[in-house]
């Protein structure tokens, strides 16, 4: 059996398979379909300082190849997360990431401060890339200096491993990866959703109340794969690939271009048991191709081809 264990900064994961923020609840909502002991890690929905009701409906629209969302970071806020959700995940048998987000740098800093003493949280993922607040302006997601600054300030108050979730809505994502690395990030998640839009021309109606939203799912996989590869070649910290991953073949594609781990997002909505099955399926594929360990396989696209693969 192939060794699936991976190391993400100081974190040891049993396998490279994580849930993507916003697609798997906050805690253990999916545990009966994808038990934590079969995953590398769980990533929470974005938690903000204050409760947020999110954007008006409609805020989800299914497209031919994925879907558009404009949730607007709906969540109950950090108080509720600390009091209820963390009690739930305390015994989760996998690495726990809390994804944090805000509209101002100070909000990220305060959130990191509030989570610092909580041992239930193994790492923070900073959502620098939600396209559904401030009219899609992506205040932290498109300017390297701003992204570096927020990382620096969070680094000052947090000893936890910090992962920056980046937006694909930029010209050179490698520059963003380098900026967050310079700010003290321990890893990069590439990528969040692409800005998109859908209309019903017959009714002259927008499909989303906010007109534009974040596009995810199988349609974005080639874009996400290119972004993840660009990040992996730009920085020395680990990259977690995300975007359109829906089966074991997809997982191996992201690992092959240099990702140390992957997140499964939109595919979990139609198949919440997928994440729990993937380790077995990835392992079977690696065995079939005589690959003894995921760590040896990561980044193999940019290395000479092994005989049997
Ligand atoms: C949302 O809540 O609007 C989606 C979160 C994200 O894309 O970061």
């Amino acid at each position: 059996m192939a060794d699936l264990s991976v190391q993400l900064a100081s974190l040891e994961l049993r396998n490279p398979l994580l849930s993507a923020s916003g697609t798997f609840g906050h805690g253990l909502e999916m545990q009966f379909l994808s038990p934590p002991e079969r995953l590398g890690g769980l990533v929470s929905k974005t938690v903000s300082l204050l409760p947020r009701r999110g954007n008006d409906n409609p805020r989800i629209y299914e497209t031919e190849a994925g879907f558009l969302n404009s949730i607007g970071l709906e969540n109950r806020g950090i108080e509720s997360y600390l009091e209820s959700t963390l009690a739930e995940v305390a015994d989760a048998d996998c690495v726990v990431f809390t994804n944090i987000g805000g509209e101002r740098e100070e909000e990220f800093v305060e959130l990191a401060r509030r989570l610092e003493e909580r041992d239930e949280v193994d790492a923070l993922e900073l959502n620098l890339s939600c396209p559904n607040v401030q009219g899609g302006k992506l205040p932290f997601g498109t300017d390297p200096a701003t992204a570096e600054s927020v990382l620096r300030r969070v680094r000052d108050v947090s000893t936890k491993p910090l992962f920056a979730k980046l937006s694909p809505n930029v010209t050179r994502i490698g520059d963003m990866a380098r900026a967050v690395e310079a700010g003290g990030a321990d890893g990069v998640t590439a990528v969040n959703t692409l800005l998109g839009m859908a209309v019903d021309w017959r009714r002259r109606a927008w499909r989303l109340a906010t007109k534009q939203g974040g596009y995810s799912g199988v349609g974005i996989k080639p874009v996400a794969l290119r972004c993840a590869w660009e990040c992996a070649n730009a920085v020395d910290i680990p990259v977690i690939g995300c975007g359109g991953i829906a089966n074991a073949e997809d997982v191996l594609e992201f690992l092959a271009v240099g990702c140390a781990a992957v997140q499964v997002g939109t595919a979990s909505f139609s198949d919440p048991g997928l994440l729990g099955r993937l380790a077995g399926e990835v392992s079977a594929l690696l065995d079939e191709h005589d690959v003894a360990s995921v760590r040896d396989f990561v980044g193999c696209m940019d290395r000479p081809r092994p005989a049997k693969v």
Side-chain angles (χ1 to χ4, degrees):
M1 281 273 279
D3 174 10
L4 297 189
S5 68
V6 293
Q7 175 130 12
L8 287 181
S10 56
L11 304 167
E12 291 281 345
L13 278 67
R14 69 165 61 79
N15 64 48
L17 304 163
L18 297 105
S19 58
S21 176
T23 64
F24 223 64
H26 275 290
L28 297 181
E29 289 91 333
M30 304 295 181
Q31 63 178 318
F32 299 110
L33 292 160
S34 285
E37 62 271 19
R38 294 205 205 136
L39 316 182
L42 282 169
V43 184
S44 77
K45 165 87 181 145
T46 302
V47 182
S48 55
L49 213 44
L50 297 174
R52 293 178 63 104
R53 63 178 287 280
N55 294 331
D56 288 341
N57 281 308
R59 53 190 200 176
I60 294 272
Y61 178 71
E62 190 166 1
T63 72
E64 299 83 351
F67 64 64
L68 285 161
N69 90 82
S70 170
I71 305 301
L73 301 181
E74 179 187 344
N75 78 101
R76 295 195 187 126
I78 190 71
E79 277 313 319
S80 163
Y81 182 78
L82 293 174
E83 277 165 30
S84 337
T85 314
L86 281 186
E88 240 182 70
V89 297
D91 298 323
D93 182 9
C94 69
V95 169
V96 172
F97 288 69
T98 301
N99 180 301
I100 58 172
E103 295 182 36
R104 290 174 306 118
E105 209 170 80
E106 292 68 32
E107 292 173 60
F108 284 93
V109 176
E110 186 54 23
L111 285 159
R113 201 177 272 132
R114 304 285 290 278
L115 289 159
E116 176 63 4
E117 302 302 325
R118 300 301 297 256
D119 293 338
E120 304 95 316
V121 177
D122 299 303
L124 303 182
E125 183 177 69
L126 279 66
N127 186 354
L128 305 182
S129 44
C130 175
N132 301 326
V133 288
Q134 298 186 9
K137 288 202 195 87
L138 289 153
F140 303 102
T142 54
D143 175 37
T146 314
E148 180 178 340
S149 166
V150 72
L151 257 299
R152 239 178 240 296
R153 290 197 52 198
V154 171
R155 181 78 291 163
D156 280 348
V157 300
S158 180
T159 57
K160 295 192 188 291
L162 302 178
F163 290 77
K165 187 163 181 180
L166 300 182
S167 172
N169 303 300
V170 293
T171 310
R172 285 189 298 275
I173 196 168
D175 291 350
M176 294 299 297
R178 271 188 285 271
V180 295
E181 182 181 41
D186 299 286
V188 162
T189 304
V191 286
N192 206 323
T193 51
L194 277 93
L195 264 176
M197 181 178 273
V199 297
D200 178 348
W201 63 267
R202 287 188 174 79
R203 291 173 47 240
R204 314 290 199 266
W206 305 96
R207 298 290 190 185
L208 297 174
T210 50
K211 299 184 182 172
Q212 54 182 4
Y215 178 39
S216 63
V218 294
I220 77 163
K221 195 184 82 175
V223 178
L225 193 65
R226 187 269 302 163
C227 287
W229 170 79
E230 225 175 295
C231 290
N233 282 292
V235 292
D236 293 323
I237 51 179
V239 174
I240 304 174
C242 181
I245 295 171
N247 55 48
E249 296 279 344
D250 297 337
V251 172
L252 291 178
E253 289 176 22
F254 277 78
L255 300 179
V257 300
C259 297
V262 298
Q263 295 180 352
V264 176
T266 302
S268 289
F269 287 109
S270 53
D271 183 0
L274 170 70
L275 200 47
R277 293 193 310 272
L278 271 179
E281 295 174 10
V282 168
S283 177
L285 277 177
L286 291 176
D287 288 347
E288 217 176 280
H289 291 276
D290 293 337
V291 179
S293 94
V294 163
R295 294 178 204 224
D296 295 342
F297 181 77
V298 166
C300 63
M301 290 307 298
D302 288 321
R303 293 196 303 266
R305 192 168 169 214
K308 275 198 77 174
V309 179

